[in-house]
């Protein structure tokens, strides 16, 4: 019987930490296959946070194919076929009913999920399966002793998909976090790009017009993209709310210097 370890997640996007863990469980002989179960909609996350489900699946395909075990690390669309939102126990029940005669299922999850596990649908049923828990910094795998298997020497993830999205949104380099093919896919699709983040900040500012942090964040994005006028407008908007805002003052000063240099009439100084 094939031993299949299920790694549930939004994979929004899949990153090197996810693949390193899948490679670890396969390399340690804990399973015959590690399967990244891409969730189309988690009941614990807002749908607005998620990239389109097929984009997330295709990125998972790319990352799995580039792994050390491309024939043994694979993504799954099983939750795309089930009612939404996706509950782990419902997926487990479906898999056992349809493939239980051929496959023995186990689960891979992070230590940060353990504290939240009692809030999951029918979590006691989930614990009837072998559950392997990998470490997350500052998140000890406490509780359910004897019912879970801590993977204390598994690769430690120092970043999450949220960090990847935030860096992309700020226009920063993510080469250390993403497979090259996944990074290329994100660029091609414009996922979580600075322009996308600017649009999202615009909606937030409309809802919170006195929030200086939002103006400054959007201004910094315009600044990185060389959009000096919109950048200055945002920094000045923050200063109208808080005239002593240090970061807004400094960026406004830098933009003013850039504009004065670029548009200075060199023939009539």
């Amino acid at each position: 019987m094939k031993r299949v370890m299920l790694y549930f997640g939004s994979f929004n996007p899949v990153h090197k930490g996810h693949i390193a863990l899948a490679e670890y469980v396969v390399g340690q002989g804990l399973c015959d296959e590690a399967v990244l179960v891409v969730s189309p909609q988690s009941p614990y996350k807002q749908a607005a946070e998620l990239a389109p489900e097929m984009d997330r699946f295709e990125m998972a395909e790319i990352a799995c194919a580039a792994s050390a075990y491309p024939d043994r690390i694979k993504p799954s669309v099983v939750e795309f076929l089930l009612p939404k939102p996706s509950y782990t126990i419902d997926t487990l029940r479906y898999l056992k009913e349809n493939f239980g005669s051929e496959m023995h299922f186990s689960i891979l999850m992070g230590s940060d999920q353990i504290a939240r596990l009692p809030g999951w649908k029918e979590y006691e049923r989930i614990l009837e399966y072998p559950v392997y828990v990998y470490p997350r910094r500052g998140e000890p795998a406490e509780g359910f002793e004897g019912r879970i298997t801590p993977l204390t020497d598994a690769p430690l993830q120092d970043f999450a998909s949220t960090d990847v999205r935030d860096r992309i949104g700020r226009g920063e380099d993510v080469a250390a976090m993403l497979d090259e093919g996944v990074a290329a896919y994100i660029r091609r699709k414009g996922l979580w790009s600075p322009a996308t983040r600017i649009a999202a900040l615009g909606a937030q500012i409309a809802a919170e017009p006195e929030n200086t942090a939002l103006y400054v964040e959007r201004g910094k994005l315009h600044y990185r993209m060389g959009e000096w006028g919109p950048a200055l407008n945002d920094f000045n908007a923050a200063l109208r709310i808080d005239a002593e805002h240090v970061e807004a003052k400094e960026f406004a000063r830098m933009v003013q210097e850039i504009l004065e240099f670029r548009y200075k009439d060199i023939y009539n100084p």
Side-chain angles (χ1 to χ4, degrees):
M1 185 174 287
K2 183 182 290 185
R3 299 171 303 145
V4 177
M5 189 173 296
L6 304 170
Y7 187 4
F8 293 88
S10 299
F11 302 107
N12 189 45
V14 63
H15 54 67
K16 288 182 177 180
H18 294 134
I19 298 302
L21 287 163
E23 290 173 339
Y24 170 84
V25 297
V26 170
Q28 292 293 309
L30 299 176
C31 60
D32 300 314
E33 287 186 0
V35 175
L36 278 62
V37 182
V38 182
S39 175
Q41 183 182 343
S42 166
Y44 308 107
K45 294 183 179 179
Q46 295 296 317
E49 297 177 4
L50 300 175
E53 58 192 42
M54 284 309 301
D55 283 331
R56 290 182 286 117
F57 176 77
E58 289 183 31
M59 287 186 283
E61 268 194 318
I62 293 168
C64 290
S67 74
Y69 306 101
D71 296 328
R72 299 174 65 188
I73 300 176
K74 304 173 182 178
S76 170
V77 295
V78 62
E79 289 196 340
F80 293 13
L81 311 175
L82 301 176
K84 300 177 179 65
S86 305
Y87 290 95
T88 298
I89 189 59
D90 293 339
T91 306
L92 290 169
R93 190 173 285 124
Y94 173 86
L95 290 171
K96 187 172 183 178
E97 289 174 356
N98 289 276
F99 304 101
S101 62
E102 311 162 29
M103 301 177 183
H104 174 74
F105 296 106
S106 59
I107 302 166
L108 178 64
M109 68 170 60
S111 59
D112 56 322
Q113 300 285 4
I114 294 300
R116 295 195 284 271
L117 193 57
W120 290 20
K121 180 181 178 181
E122 297 182 47
Y123 79 95
E124 289 284 355
R125 293 285 187 185
I126 295 173
L127 290 168
E128 293 176 2
Y129 292 80
V131 177
Y132 295 88
V133 180
Y134 60 84
R136 296 296 302 268
R137 194 175 300 281
E139 300 280 358
E142 295 177 349
F144 307 108
E145 285 79 4
R147 304 177 69 185
I148 63 172
T149 302
L151 302 175
T152 55
D153 60 344
L156 184 63
Q157 292 192 75
D158 275 331
F159 60 88
S161 294
T162 302
D163 302 310
V164 177
R165 296 194 304 271
D166 287 347
R167 291 194 64 141
I168 293 170
R170 293 193 298 267
E172 297 174 3
D173 180 54
V174 290
M177 297 176 163
L178 298 178
D179 168 77
E180 183 178 342
V182 172
Y185 186 98
I186 290 171
R187 288 194 299 271
R188 186 167 69 253
K189 289 277 190 167
L191 299 174
W192 310 293
S193 67
T196 301
R197 179 60 180 155
I198 285 171
L201 285 167
Q204 287 181 268
I205 287 169
E208 303 177 62
E210 299 300 308
N211 189 330
T212 57
L214 297 177
Y215 289 105
V216 171
E217 183 182 350
R218 190 172 68 176
K220 287 161 69 174
L221 287 169
H222 284 305
Y223 182 90
R224 291 190 184 99
M225 296 170 72
E227 297 170 348
W228 312 120
L232 187 58
N233 288 340
D234 276 337
F235 297 133
N236 284 337
L239 290 170
R240 282 194 293 272
I241 299 167
D242 177 7
E244 300 305 316
H245 195 292
V246 174
E247 195 171 22
K249 286 174 72 173
E250 181 62 18
F251 270 100
R253 181 190 62 78
M254 290 191 292
V255 174
Q256 289 280 15
E257 289 180 354
I258 290 168
L259 291 174
E260 288 172 6
F261 176 79
R262 290 191 61 175
Y263 298 108
K264 182 178 180 181
D265 183 348
I266 59 172
Y267 297 105
N268 297 285

